[in-house]
Amino acid sequence: MISMQRLRRSNDVGLTRFRPALLREVMLTDNELTIPVSGTGSAGMEAALCNLIEPGDRCVVCVNGVFGGRMADVCGRYGAEVATVAAPWGQPIDPDDVRQALANGPTKLVAIVHAETSTGVLQPLEEISRMTHEAGALLVVDCVTSLGGHPVKVDEWGIDACYSGTQKCLSIPPGLAPISFAPAAVAALESRKTKVANWYLDMSMVHKYWGEERTYHHTAPVNALYGFHEGLRLILTEGLEARWARHRANHELLVAGLAEMGVEMLADPKYRLWSLNAVRIPEGVDDVTVRQRLLNEYDIEIGGGLGDLKGKVWRVGLMGTSSTPNNVLMLLGALNAILD
Ligand SMILES: *Cc1c(COP(=O)(O)O)cnc(C)c1O
C-alpha cells in the first residue's frame, strides 16, 4: 500500500525539479538509478540494452511478438551475439526454453517483454528471473504496456533493468521512458571494458545529471517532465492496487460482453493482458470495414493486428485513463450494431 504520509511528502516536492522518489514508488523499487530517459519507450529499450551490452556478449532474447523482435534487433546492433527463444504469437515464452538457451553458453542478459502489445499476452516473469540469475545473467524487462495497469514489481521479481513508456498505462503524454537499473546492472555498467556505444543514452553520464552534482549532459525536456511529475502524482493518488483492479475489471467486462456476442479472445485466460485486449476477428467479418465504421460512425479507434496477426485480431487498448466501463460499453454497443 502507498502510505498517505509518503504521498504527502512527495506532493510537497515543488514542480521545478522532478524527484525519482515518485517513479520508484510506481515501479516498486528502491533502485537508485531510476529516472525518466529523454525519448519514448523505444529509447528506454535502447538505453536498457546499450548500457549492458558489450560487443560479443551473448544475449538471450525472447520473441513472441513485435516488441521482442525489436529487442533482438537492438541487441544485434550493439554487437551482441543474439540467441532468440521463440513462442508462437499469442502464447507466452516457455521458461524451459529459456533454461535450454541459458545452458547453451555463458550469457550476459536475458531480454523479455512483460506485456506484448502486439499479441495481448502477459508474460509471467518470476521463474525466468530465477533461472536467469542462477545462470549469472541479468534480466532486462520491457514493461511499456504493463506499468501502471498491471503489477510490475521490479525489486520483488528481481528485474535488473526495466523500462517503460509514458503514453501507455501511465496515461502521460509521450516523450519519456521511465527506466530503473538494479545494483547488479549498475555494477555491470561500471565494469565495462568498452564505452557505451550510444552517447545520448549512456547512463554513466546521464545519471550524474539526476544526481546531486546535476552535471549537464543533454537538455532535459522540461515541459515533458512537468507532465510526468503530475501524471505520477495522479497514479499514486488513485493507488497502484486500485489502478490494477480497475484495469482488470474493465478487461473482464469487455471479455464477458464479447463472449455474449460469440466473440473470443486470442490468448489463454491465464496470460491475458488487461491493458491490451487481443480479440479474434469472427469468421467472415472484414477487419478493415469494421474498424473504419467504428472510427467514422462511433469515434472509437481500435488497433488492427500486427505481423503474423494482421487481419486475424483486433487490439483493444484499455490503458490508464481510457480503462473505463463507459468506454467498454460504448465499444460493445457499437460492435454489436456493426456485426449484427
Ligand atoms: C509501445 C511499445 C514500445 C515502444 O514504445 P514507443 O513509445 O512507441 O517508442 C516498446 N515495447 C512495447 C511492449 C510497446 O508496447
Side-chain angles (χ1 to χ4, degrees):
M1 287 292 287
I2 306 300
S3 83
M4 280 314 289
Q5 202 192 348
R6 281 172 85 190
L7 188 57
R8 260 196 303 279
R9 217 186 312 133
S10 52
N11 281 350
D12 287 343
V13 173
L15 273 177
T16 48
R17 182 166 171 199
F18 167 77
R19 302 289 174 101
L22 287 177
L23 182 55
R24 288 197 193 106
E25 287 198 24
V26 169
M27 296 185 91
L28 296 171
T29 182
D30 291 327
N31 290 338
E32 201 178 313
L33 184 47
T34 303
I35 59 169
V37 169
S38 306
T40 64
S42 304
M45 180 188 291
E46 191 120 8
L49 296 169
C50 76
N51 281 280
L52 300 177
I53 295 172
E54 295 196 68
D57 281 348
R58 183 167 187 272
C59 295
V60 170
V61 185
C62 301
V63 181
N64 56 347
V66 167
F67 294 101
R70 188 175 295 183
M71 285 177 118
D73 185 3
V74 172
C75 288
R77 287 169 192 241
Y78 287 104
E81 179 204 320
V82 179
T84 53
V85 171
W89 287 38
Q91 287 176 33
I93 298 290
D94 183 343
D96 283 336
D97 293 339
V98 177
R99 183 176 290 122
Q100 194 131 56
L102 284 167
N104 286 345
T107 303
K108 178 67 166 283
L109 60 86
V110 172
I112 193 162
V113 177
H114 184 220
E116 221 344 312
T117 321
S118 61
T119 64
V121 167
L122 179 72
Q123 177 68 48
L125 292 172
E126 285 168 281
E127 193 181 350
I128 289 173
S129 173
R130 262 195 308 278
M131 61 179 68
T132 299
H133 294 129
E134 276 164 22
L138 298 165
L139 182 67
V140 177
V141 176
D142 177 317
C143 64
V144 176
T145 288
S146 48
L147 188 67
H150 276 266
V152 175
K153 302 181 177 178
V154 171
D155 287 2
E156 197 181 314
W157 294 347
I159 302 174
D160 296 299
C162 187
Y163 61 87
S164 189
T166 42
Q167 78 277 20
K168 304 267 168 86
C169 297
L170 298 176
S171 275
I172 296 170
L176 292 170
I179 198 168
S180 187
F181 280 76
V186 174
L189 173 61
E190 284 172 349
S191 63
R192 291 178 65 101
K193 295 186 195 67
T194 57
K195 278 187 177 180
V196 174
N198 184 315
W199 184 90
Y200 193 73
L201 299 172
D202 183 342
M203 288 298 136
S204 63
M205 297 192 287
V206 173
H207 88 99
K208 293 192 187 129
Y209 176 75
W210 292 99
E212 285 309 312
E213 309 137 74
R214 203 145 180 80
T215 314
Y216 166 75
H217 175 258
H218 66 266
T219 305
V222 282
N223 44 351
L225 291 171
Y226 279 88
F228 189 54
H229 180 100
E230 182 60 11
L232 294 179
R233 211 181 56 73
L234 290 172
I235 290 164
L236 293 172
T237 301
E238 179 177 7
L240 290 177
E241 278 95 351
R243 202 172 168 92
W244 301 334
R246 173 165 63 81
H247 280 77
R248 180 182 192 147
N250 292 320
H251 157 79
E252 285 171 354
L253 184 64
L254 176 69
V255 173
L258 289 170
E260 264 180 47
M261 293 161 55
V263 179
E264 293 172 352
M265 306 296 288
L266 174 71
D268 185 276
K270 270 203 310 215
Y271 305 110
R272 274 180 201 158
L273 281 176
W274 307 329
S275 46
L276 191 291
N277 297 267
V279 178
R280 286 183 198 275
I281 301 175
E283 204 68 42
V285 170
D286 185 64
D287 170 23
V288 178
T289 309
V290 172
R291 283 192 289 123
Q292 270 171 358
R293 286 192 62 191
L294 280 173
L295 188 59
N296 296 338
E297 297 168 32
Y298 299 89
D299 249 345
I300 298 172
E301 185 169 23
I302 62 171
L306 300 173
D308 296 358
L309 296 174
K310 192 170 193 284
K312 296 187 184 141
V313 299
W314 290 317
R315 294 178 311 125
V316 180
L318 293 172
M319 299 180 186
T321 347
S322 80
S323 174
T324 63
N326 203 33
N327 282 347
V328 172
L329 295 175
M330 278 201 301
L331 172 65
L332 288 172
L335 262 183
N336 217 348
I338 294 171
L339 295 180
D340 217 11

